[in-house]
């Protein structure tokens, strides 16, 4: 079977692939239908150097399992320059590996070169729908394929918006040909943290557009909120929601269990996989049903114009929000005199300004603290990667490979 056949239409219940459980995953091939490969692990030099420098493990995984790809760095919601080098690298990686199914996150986490690496909710507003739809078309064109967008866990909804999360997702589906990657754990987290009914949420989503699902474990913070830490078994409360989602999302053919840490003992991961299989195959045939797939066309859509006055408020809000998190001097200026500080980013529209002022203070404080902490840690990690690369190079030199 050529790689393209193996990866053209994966079906069933699988695992988000992590190097650390490569052998375990292979040993359970009969119960793991597919793997989800994080493109980030191969596109980011440091990650690859650390984990699988020769990509031997990746190639073995790709030869053994049907695989789908999942990206992390797009930040499709950022009103900013398109991240074309990232998209081109992703496209190359998909071509090299033969993977056809791709997904990314419906969120924003980057502005002015600062990447929070934690997802922020898009403002649930018409103008944000429009931006995401235009940017989706650009990304789709650059990648040469449609892709799925994932609902994320978010710390706080942007205040004073005219839509809610379900309404926003629905509108994005209406404006594009994207499918949805429905992360059921994220639905549970958000419904609990932000006080809405998850079943009603399903009622209002275009469930026929769901092509994939995620399940993950999280933990509850001391204040009662849930976090998607991906470091624990799937929470008990998520399973009935998953059952409901599988029942309703009749076109969803892919389920992925995500576990980033505490992957051992692997029996705990397999426990969740088996439970997900039981539910999935209670509603689906064991063999992948044959389906007609419409050929898709790439239409040459250009990147949206970030300087379009229509996006000015959204853009200024995003930049100022990131400034509050990532720039200590801006934080101080904002505390002293918010309107004058915000004007630095062109945030003068009263409604967008108010949205920034009324953003959840506790979450903002948490983001600021995390940002400061990770800045220090990133410096240490960068030094360590460099040291490892030099060590590998020196080792190869000593073995006469250069
Ligand atoms: Fe994800
Ligand atoms: Fe997810």
């Amino acid at each position: 079977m050529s790689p393209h056949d193996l990866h053209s239409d994966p079906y069933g219940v699988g695992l988000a692939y992590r190097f650390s459980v490569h052998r375990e995953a292979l040993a359970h091939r009969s119960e793991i239908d597919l793997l989800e490969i994080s493109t980030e692990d191969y596109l980011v030099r440091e990650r690859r150097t650390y984990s699988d420098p020769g990509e031997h493990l990746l190639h073995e995984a790709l030869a053994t399992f049907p695989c789908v790809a999942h990206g992390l760095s797009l930040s499709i919601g950022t009103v900013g320059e398109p991240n074309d080098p990232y998209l081109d690298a992703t496209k190359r990686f998909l071509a090299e590996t033969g993977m056809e199914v791709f997904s990314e996150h419906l969120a924003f986490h980057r502005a002015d070169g600062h990447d929070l690496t934690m997802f922020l909710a898009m403002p649930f507003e018409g103008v944000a729908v429009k931006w995401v739809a235009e940017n989706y078309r650009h990304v789709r064109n650059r990648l040469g394929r449609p892709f799925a967008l994932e609902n994320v866990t978010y710390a706080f909804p942007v205040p004073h918006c005219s839509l809610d999360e379900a309404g926003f997702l629905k509108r994005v589906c209406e404006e594009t040909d994207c499918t949805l990657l429905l992360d059921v754990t994220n639905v549970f987290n958000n419904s609990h943290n932000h006080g809405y009914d998850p079943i009603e949420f399903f009622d209002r989503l275009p469930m026929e557009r769901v092509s994939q699902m995620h399940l993950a474990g999280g933990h509850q913070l001391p204040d009662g909120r849930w976090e998607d830490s991906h470091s624990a078994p799937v929470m008990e409360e998520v399973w009935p929601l998953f059952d409901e989602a599988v029942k309703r999302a009749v076109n969803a053919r892919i389920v992925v269990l995500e576990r980033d840490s505490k992957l051992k003992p692997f029996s705990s991961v397999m426990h969740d996989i088996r439970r997900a299989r039981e539910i999935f195959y209670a509603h689906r045939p064991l063999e992948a049903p044959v389906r007609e797939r419409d050929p898709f066309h790439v239409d040459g859509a250009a990147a949206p114009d970030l300087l379009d006055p229509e996006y000015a408020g959204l853009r200024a809000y995003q930049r100022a929000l990131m400034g509050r998190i990532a720039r200590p001097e801006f934080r101080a200026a904002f505390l002293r005199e918010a309107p004058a500080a915000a004007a630095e980013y062109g945030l003068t529209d009263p409604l967008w300004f108010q949205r920034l002022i009324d953003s959840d203070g506790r979450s903002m404080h948490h983001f600021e603290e995390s940002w400061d902490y990770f800045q220090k840690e990133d410096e240490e990690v960068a030094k360590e990667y460099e040291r490892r690369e030099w060590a590998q190079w020196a080792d190869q030199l000593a073995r006469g490979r250069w």
Side-chain angles (χ1 to χ4, degrees):
M1 194 183 267
S2 83
H4 286 275
D5 291 335
L6 183 60
H7 307 307
S8 66
D9 198 10
Y11 175 80
V13 177
L15 179 67
Y17 174 69
R18 303 290 175 255
F19 311 98
S20 58
V21 289
H22 177 80
R23 227 173 306 194
E24 289 83 348
L26 257 67
H28 291 86
R29 174 66 185 92
S30 61
E31 291 179 281
I32 299 174
D33 298 324
L34 54 96
L35 295 178
E36 180 193 83
I37 306 290
S38 163
T39 53
E40 214 71 6
D41 285 344
Y42 303 93
L43 301 185
V44 179
R45 176 184 65 95
E46 289 85 351
R47 284 228 215 175
R48 194 176 61 222
T49 304
Y50 181 73
S51 313
D52 186 13
E55 297 187 0
H56 302 300
L57 300 179
L58 171 68
H59 289 131
E60 191 174 25
L62 284 165
T64 312
F65 294 86
C67 293
V68 297
H70 189 46
L72 195 64
S73 295
L74 177 58
S75 197
I76 195 167
T78 297
V79 182
E81 295 289 344
N83 195 353
D84 287 342
Y86 165 76
L87 296 175
D88 294 346
T90 300
K91 186 180 182 180
R92 239 186 345 262
F93 181 69
L94 295 178
E96 282 165 11
T97 55
M99 287 190 283
E100 290 195 8
V101 179
F102 181 68
S103 57
E104 253 285 357
H105 302 88
L106 182 45
F108 102 96
H109 49 87
R110 189 185 311 109
D112 290 328
H114 301 299
D115 192 339
L116 184 58
T117 67
M118 284 181 271
F119 300 121
L120 293 163
M122 286 301 289
F124 301 139
E125 268 298 325
V127 68
V129 171
K130 190 162 182 225
W131 173 267
V132 168
E134 279 200 67
N135 206 15
Y136 170 86
R137 285 192 279 274
H138 168 66
V139 174
R140 179 193 188 285
N141 181 46
R142 199 91 190 182
L143 292 179
R145 75 194 71 208
F147 58 100
L149 288 170
E150 178 179 4
N151 60 305
V152 298
T153 291
Y154 52 90
F156 62 92
V158 179
H160 316 304
C161 286
S162 59
L163 298 167
D164 59 8
E165 189 188 355
F168 183 76
L169 288 167
K170 187 165 182 283
R171 286 281 309 278
V172 170
C173 287
E174 285 165 359
E175 300 292 325
T176 70
D177 70 351
C178 77
T179 57
L180 294 176
L181 193 178
L182 183 68
D183 187 313
V184 182
T185 300
N186 290 346
V187 172
F188 168 74
N189 291 345
N190 290 331
S191 64
H192 178 90
N193 296 348
H194 309 308
Y196 63 78
D197 181 63
I199 299 296
E200 202 182 297
F201 182 81
F202 290 159
D203 285 342
R204 295 183 47 225
L205 277 192
M207 293 295 275
E208 73 286 355
R209 295 285 286 272
V210 176
S211 58
Q212 308 186 40
M213 289 188 202
H214 274 173
L215 286 166
H219 65 269
Q220 203 162 17
L221 300 167
D223 64 11
R225 288 186 298 169
W226 283 94
E227 262 195 347
D228 61 333
S229 62
H230 294 191
S231 63
V234 174
M235 295 87 90
E236 212 41 56
E237 299 91 326
V238 172
W239 291 109
L241 281 183
F242 176 60
D243 184 85
E244 193 60 39
V246 175
K247 231 185 290 177
R248 292 174 180 227
V250 292
N251 296 318
R253 293 164 70 95
I254 296 167
V255 174
V256 173
L257 174 76
E258 302 181 283
R259 183 90 71 93
D260 293 343
S261 55
K262 305 218 173 97
L263 283 135
K264 297 191 185 160
F266 197 67
S267 54
S268 142
V269 174
M270 286 311 299
H271 182 267
D272 277 354
I273 295 248
R274 288 181 187 123
R275 206 164 165 185
R277 289 176 72 89
E278 257 173 52
I279 295 172
F280 184 78
Y281 288 114
H283 301 293
R284 296 284 193 286
L286 266 177
E287 287 289 317
V290 179
R291 61 168 172 168
E292 294 281 308
R293 284 196 296 164
D294 298 335
F296 53 82
H297 305 283
V298 176
D299 56 13
D305 178 7
L306 68 116
L307 296 178
D308 183 333
E310 191 178 6
Y311 298 126
L314 173 60
R315 178 162 186 252
Y317 164 83
Q318 290 182 331
R319 296 181 68 207
L321 178 63
M322 196 59 78
R324 274 186 72 180
I325 294 169
R327 289 183 53 212
E329 70 280 12
F330 180 75
R331 275 180 222 160
F334 192 79
L335 275 179
R336 270 197 312 275
E337 215 206 316
E344 183 193 329
Y345 288 114
L347 183 60
T348 50
D349 178 87
L351 181 55
W352 283 106
F353 176 72
Q354 204 56 40
R355 287 178 175 134
L356 184 65
I357 289 282
D358 293 341
S359 291
D360 178 63
R362 187 176 48 174
S363 298
M364 290 302 298
H365 188 63
H366 169 72
F367 283 131
E368 290 167 14
E369 279 190 341
S370 301
W371 180 269
D372 292 346
Y373 174 82
F374 284 115
Q375 286 307 103
K376 274 195 215 110
E377 203 183 71
D378 281 356
E379 282 169 28
E380 294 304 312
V381 169
K383 274 187 220 149
E384 174 64 15
Y385 282 139
E386 205 169 309
R387 197 188 61 73
R388 278 176 197 244
E389 269 197 337
W390 276 105
Q392 271 177 12
W393 184 75
D395 183 49
Q396 285 175 344
L397 198 65
R399 290 172 198 218
R401 290 196 192 154
W402 290 80

